Amino acid sequence: MSSIKEVARLAGVSVGTVSNALNRPELVAPDTLRRVREAIERLGYVRNGSARQLREGRSRTIGLVALDLANPFVIDVLRGVEGVAQGADVTVMVFTSSKDAAREAGLLATFEEQRPLGVLITPVNDRGEEERLRRLVARGIPVVRFDSSARYSQGCAVAVDDVLGGRLAGRHLREQGHHRIAYAGGPFTVRQVRERRDGLASVLGPGDALTVIPLPDLTVATGRTAGQEIAGLPAAERPTAVFCANDLVAIGVLQEMTQRGLRVPEDLAIIGYDDIDFAAAAAVPLSSIRQPREQLGHTAAQLLLEEANEPAGHEHRLVVFQPDLIVRTSTAAPSRAGH
């Protein structure tokens, strides 16, 4: 491998000039910059990122810990994070806790050793891992919670108002004439699942019935299980609408209804959460509660880099975005709602 000294020798400049050309090109004269870049190209020089990090005392890497990488919601959040990271010459390393508190603790312990520039995390439990997060901050590693509404004294948080999202879904279904409504989601140790259910329950009236269908996870497969449970209820008790904790569950319910020959929305109205691309593209386009996914990631990354670059002047903030109701065919006005 060629060295920076060889680049300097071939370009006829000092090692310091090559360093400036790599890190602060605006300080280098155009002709000199051209010679340095030609020398780099000719020698095939690749700078040693590890050595650079040792000199600076920290890496140029962000650690991101998500609950579930199988959810397209996380991919969209990551897109927002990467947009900020690329502009700052920072690499994003993505991990999943798989909603497992022990796995999450292990990842945070690894970050303590590896000393990334900062950590973005959706905690398995908003009240868990406080001590581990404090230890990261004490070592100069800022932490920002994303998709988390908990205030954290030693870090920023970015979230969407999930209680409001549940209310939007509930109000919409009631306006469509539904009074027997199911909520499918889980596990209820996850804050988002609980708050979406609570928002739904808060807008139901005395004459409304809420059927809660707990699920072990938020996937298409568990959505099909929820659909089986709904279809298996006696006709007089069967919900006429279901609010699903995310769009993957909603797609699974839709698949099960289709397989059983039940009509959506005539026999069962379905509304999901997140408004992933698959929601609009489903066989029956799904109504959903839209989250600003990329903006969530973009804001979280910005807050993290602000603190990493200027820790003394940084003020911790909780940024909460508002969700939107997106109405599609799956919740069109029913013909027999409540009957």
Side-chain angles (χ1 to χ4, degrees):
M1 294 179 62
S2 58
S3 69
I4 193 171
K5 291 181 179 179
E6 291 174 295
V7 172
R9 188 180 305 114
L10 182 60
V13 298
S14 68
V15 170
T17 298
V18 175
S19 178
N20 282 338
L22 290 169
N23 300 306
R24 295 180 294 175
E26 69 279 3
L27 300 180
V28 182
D31 183 63
T32 302
L33 186 61
R34 177 187 56 77
R35 296 205 317 273
V36 170
R37 287 175 173 171
E38 287 177 351
I40 289 172
E41 180 69 22
R42 182 173 171 182
L43 293 172
Y45 169 75
V46 178
R47 58 179 165 179
N48 189 330
S50 298
R52 176 189 176 194
Q53 291 173 12
L54 285 171
R55 289 194 301 272
E56 295 180 354
R58 60 180 183 176
S59 75
R60 300 294 297 172
T61 300
I62 290 174
L64 185 150
V65 183
L67 292 176
D68 180 9
L69 294 182
N71 190 339
F73 164 81
V74 176
I75 304 304
D76 290 336
V77 170
L78 178 58
R79 190 175 293 116
V81 172
E82 287 187 325
V84 174
Q86 288 175 0
D89 191 25
V90 170
T91 300
V92 183
M93 297 191 68
V94 184
F95 305 87
T96 177
S97 64
S98 300
K99 304 185 184 71
D100 183 327
R103 177 174 172 81
E104 177 183 87
L107 288 169
L108 295 179
T110 299
F111 291 147
E112 278 191 70
E113 299 173 2
Q114 299 298 323
R115 298 181 63 83
L117 189 63
V119 173
L120 296 168
I121 183 170
T122 302
V124 173
N125 186 323
D126 268 336
R127 293 176 294 278
E129 288 300 329
E130 293 289 348
E131 179 58 32
R132 185 74 71 178
L133 296 179
R134 280 193 287 270
R135 284 163 58 178
L136 285 174
V137 172
R139 290 176 66 83
I141 304 169
V143 175
V144 173
R145 301 179 185 218
F146 71 94
D147 201 20
S148 171
S149 62
R151 290 188 177 276
Y152 174 52
S153 61
Q154 299 189 55
C156 296
V158 180
V160 175
D161 189 338
D162 285 296
V163 174
L164 174 59
R167 288 175 183 155
L168 291 174
R171 286 171 184 157
H172 172 62
L173 293 176
R174 293 188 81 243
E175 288 169 359
Q176 296 298 90
H178 295 284
H179 299 285
R180 295 199 306 271
I181 301 172
Y183 176 72
F188 283 91
T189 53
V190 176
R191 174 196 60 80
Q192 294 88 334
V193 173
R194 296 194 308 272
E195 292 191 353
R196 293 167 193 179
R197 175 205 58 194
D198 293 346
L200 168 64
S202 71
V203 300
L204 300 184
D208 298 329
L210 175 60
T211 301
V212 176
I213 303 174
L215 303 175
D217 210 342
L218 301 178
T219 65
V220 173
T222 59
R224 296 199 67 159
T225 299
Q228 293 169 11
E229 184 168 337
I230 292 170
L233 291 171
E237 301 174 13
R238 187 182 304 148
T240 60
V242 58
F243 171 36
C244 300
N246 77 359
D247 288 335
L248 296 180
V249 173
I251 290 169
V253 173
L254 174 61
Q255 289 180 352
E256 189 64 25
M257 295 301 105
T258 301
Q259 183 170 329
R260 289 172 175 265
L262 297 174
R263 300 167 299 166
V264 175
E266 292 84 358
D267 296 315
L268 182 73
I270 304 172
I271 183 169
Y273 206 105
D274 290 338
D275 195 34
I276 62 176
D277 292 341
F278 296 128
V284 178
L286 288 167
S287 295
S288 187
I289 303 300
R290 175 180 292 168
Q291 301 196 74
R293 303 178 299 278
E294 286 194 38
Q295 191 175 2
L296 196 73
H298 186 274
T299 302
Q302 279 189 322
L303 291 172
L304 188 71
L305 292 181
E306 283 178 14
E307 184 173 0
N309 293 328
E310 296 185 26
H314 179 78
E315 180 179 345
H316 297 321
R317 303 194 296 279
L318 170 62
V319 181
V320 180
F321 294 100
Q322 304 301 300
D324 295 309
L325 169 66
I326 306 300
V327 178
R328 298 191 180 95
T329 309
S330 69
T331 57
S335 59
R336 299 188 303 152
H339 295 175

